[in-house]
Amino acid sequence: MANAKLPKKRPTPEKRDRINAMNAARNRARRSALKTAIKKASNACYVGGADTTAAVRYAIKRVDQACAKGLMHKNCAARKKSQLMKMLNNAAK
């Protein structure tokens, strides 16, 4: 009887609600930062200048982070990165 399995304790619904709210806030902040980085990179490509490459590299980094954290599907991330590189290459011409 010593090895009898005890039922697994689950968190209360209130705790689950708190955790969901925290995760939603964190995801909202990350998604917002991602959108901002993409917009800044897009504007930098259209305007041109010295910081264009840095802006695109930062946006690609944010896309990779969002993909790693599950905010974005890997194919969507690849598509965004491809679009950013295409904008950068067109800006260089």
Side-chain angles (χ1 to χ4, degrees):
M1 196 67 170
N3 291 331
K5 281 204 157 198
L6 295 174
K8 189 174 181 180
K9 291 182 90 175
R10 292 200 172 106
T12 61
E14 293 81 15
K15 183 175 181 181
R16 193 70 246 172
D17 289 340
R18 288 195 309 267
I19 292 170
N20 287 341
M22 285 189 310
N23 289 342
R26 187 181 309 120
N27 288 338
R28 194 177 312 117
R30 286 181 177 155
R31 202 174 299 120
S32 176
L34 171 67
K35 287 180 184 179
T36 302
I38 290 173
K39 285 179 186 176
K40 283 185 179 180
S42 176
N43 289 340
C45 285
Y46 286 122
V47 173
D51 62 335
T52 304
T53 306
V56 171
R57 287 185 68 194
Y58 181 74
I60 288 175
K61 179 180 175 182
R62 282 293 191 177
V63 168
D64 284 335
Q65 287 174 345
C67 182
K69 296 296 181 182
L71 286 178
M72 176 182 286
H73 192 269
K74 64 178 184 175
N75 291 350
C76 181
R79 187 173 63 244
K80 288 285 184 196
K81 293 194 302 187
S82 175
Q83 290 169 348
L84 287 166
M85 288 307 296
K86 191 174 181 181
M87 281 191 282
L88 179 64
N89 289 334
N90 288 337
K93 291 181 183 178

